[in-house]
Amino acid sequence: MLHCIFLLSDSGEVMLEKQWMGQQVDRSICSWFWSQGQGATGVHQVPSVIASPTNYLMHIVREGITFLACTKSEMPPLLGIEFLCRVADVLSEYLGGLNEDLIKDNFVIVYELLDEMMDSGFPLTTELNKLKEIIAPPNIVSRMLSVVTGGSSSVNSTLPLSTASSVPWRASEVKHSNNEIYFDLVEEMDAIVNRDGFLIKCEVYGEVQVNSRLSGVPDLSLSFSNPSMLNDVRFHPCVRFRPWEAHQRLSFVPPDGQFKLMSYRVKKLKNTPIYVKPHFTSSDGVCRVNILVGIRNDPGKPIDSIAVQIPCLPSVISSDLTANHGTVDNLHGKRACTWMIGRIPKDKSPCLTGTLQLEKGLDQLHEFPTLLVGFKIMGVAVSGLKVDKTEIQNVPYHPYKGFRAVTRAASYEIRT
């Protein structure tokens, strides 16, 4: 049971406060929470769930906005975190983003959404499509009408039909002139390579994102050719769990529009698409750098947006790095050098060379930086996950079905 929620700016200012219970939580709890962040060198370093002298606190940070929830009694912490994530997603969709100005310009909408999303401390209506039927998203026309008529409420005067439906995530009487559905496999790779070049960790976090534009109430079935590789699966509420448990098949009635159908994790991958071979030596007040990049495991599609970032220690005062391919953003007051490679050419391997100048009085670096690597591959899911087939029932038409895949580097570290 949540007692209240606070929205804090990046400076710790309370932008919005919503109390759900009769016994209010004092705002001073926000000052206590922010002081914990200062002691941990930033609110990002504060544990997501902490206990204050009077309350249990849960928080997430999105786009510089801190969503802080308080409860006086014990409750499943993941319930509170999941609710905060849902609030952040809904506000981002309604307001077209998340920042301090957008929230302050749409106080009424935000309060109305929080009223609908929680009742007496328990989550109530959190599905985006259902909320849009209850509360109209803000637009220029509605703002002009509120100025002219003096009305400020965006809440629908009648309860939507989907409230009593067995599929409350889907709007009632959906109609489209072109019936189509698109599936996107979006994967992010986390990898750690040690200083000897051995792969310590390599796993993929993936999502199946769907954009559904189907009329009526379609019943879909989606199956993968190799579902046994999936771990830590998590589903949208529309997914029926029994077909997945019995046959590893997704059976669902989709919401209308964009939504995340499921998320998953694939662990213990054996290879990464690219290799990075760094070599650092340090003496006489400089650190000599040599980095070679190439393709290790060809995914069958071009690898784009390859970038290597070299975080620099405070003892490094300047850099002089050059590359035979791509562009190099040297230190110049920043605390990192960035090598933008783009796509690896066929006729040569990209190589970065140069020196890092150390501060006066320091002869050599005692530790070398950990490189951060980025890349993007369109058309391939590096985990090997593939969609086998999809079936659509309960509708008289034959919709268009589209499939795409993309892989990006998330936390890809090369230790030196």
Side-chain angles (χ1 to χ4, degrees), residues 80-105:
I81 296 295
E82 176 63 21
F83 177 76
L84 292 178
C85 291
R86 194 63 62 90
V87 170
D89 291 339
V90 168
L91 292 184
S92 180
E93 178 69 24
Y94 260 81
L95 308 182
L98 271 180
N99 60 56
E100 188 173 344
D101 292 334
L102 283 173
I103 291 175
K104 289 184 176 180
D105 291 342

Side-chain angles (χ1 to χ4, degrees), residues 166-399:
S166 60
V167 285
W169 52 83
R170 185 170 180 84
S172 58
E173 299 179 359
V174 177
K175 293 181 180 180
H176 294 283
S177 56
N178 294 322
N179 292 287
E180 52 195 14
I181 186 167
Y182 299 94
F183 296 89
D184 289 337
L185 293 181
V186 181
E187 295 191 341
E188 294 184 341
M189 174 176 281
D190 294 337
I192 298 176
V193 180
N194 68 9
R195 60 186 305 171
D196 298 321
F198 293 107
L199 192 62
I200 299 176
K201 168 191 172 184
C202 186
E203 63 181 35
V204 162
Y205 171 80
E207 295 180 353
V208 179
Q209 298 178 359
V210 183
N211 189 358
S212 174
R213 302 293 177 187
L214 302 175
S215 304
V217 186
D219 199 320
L220 277 73
S221 175
L222 183 147
S223 58
F224 301 103
S225 58
N226 44 1
S228 59
M229 66 168 59
L230 302 180
N231 298 284
D232 305 333
V233 291
R234 178 183 175 195
F235 302 111
H236 188 277
C238 70
V239 176
R240 305 179 181 100
F241 187 65
R242 286 188 178 179
W244 174 263
E245 192 176 35
H247 310 291
Q248 278 71 56
R249 175 173 56 88
L250 297 178
S251 176
F252 59 99
V253 175
D256 188 52
Q258 298 181 357
F259 67 99
K260 181 172 70 175
L261 180 63
M262 68 174 292
S263 63
Y264 58 89
R265 197 175 296 276
V266 179
K267 302 179 179 179
K268 298 181 180 179
L269 296 179
K270 302 299 182 183
N271 282 308
T272 58
I274 62 175
Y275 66 82
V276 179
K277 296 181 178 179
H279 182 67
F280 289 80
T281 58
S282 181
S283 63
D284 302 326
V286 297
C287 178
R288 284 165 285 279
V289 180
N290 185 288
I291 302 174
L292 187 68
V293 178
I295 296 177
R296 181 191 302 276
N297 185 25
D298 191 350
K301 296 286 185 179
I303 305 176
D304 296 313
S305 305
I306 300 175
V308 179
Q309 188 180 75
I310 310 173
C312 294
L313 300 173
S315 54
V316 177
I317 59 175
S318 65
S319 64
D320 182 17
L321 304 174
T322 58
N324 65 350
H325 180 77
T327 60
V328 180
D329 184 8
N330 279 287
L331 208 53
H332 300 311
K334 304 177 182 178
R335 296 318 310 161
C337 303
T338 305
W339 178 22
M340 301 297 300
I341 301 172
R343 185 177 297 185
I344 295 179
K346 295 181 179 179
D347 57 341
K348 60 182 177 182
S349 295
C351 183
L352 176 77
T353 58
T355 59
L356 303 176
Q357 185 66 42
L358 308 184
E359 64 184 3
K360 188 176 180 180
L362 184 64
D363 184 62
Q364 64 180 11
L365 282 179
H366 299 289
E367 60 176 318
F368 296 125
T370 297
L371 308 184
L372 305 177
V373 182
F375 64 83
K376 182 178 181 180
I377 311 174
M378 296 297 299
V380 171
V382 294
S383 67
L385 184 67
K386 295 180 180 179
V387 175
D388 183 22
K389 64 179 179 178
T390 60
E391 298 177 350
I392 301 181
Q393 301 175 344
N394 201 33
V395 290
Y397 52 82
H398 297 283

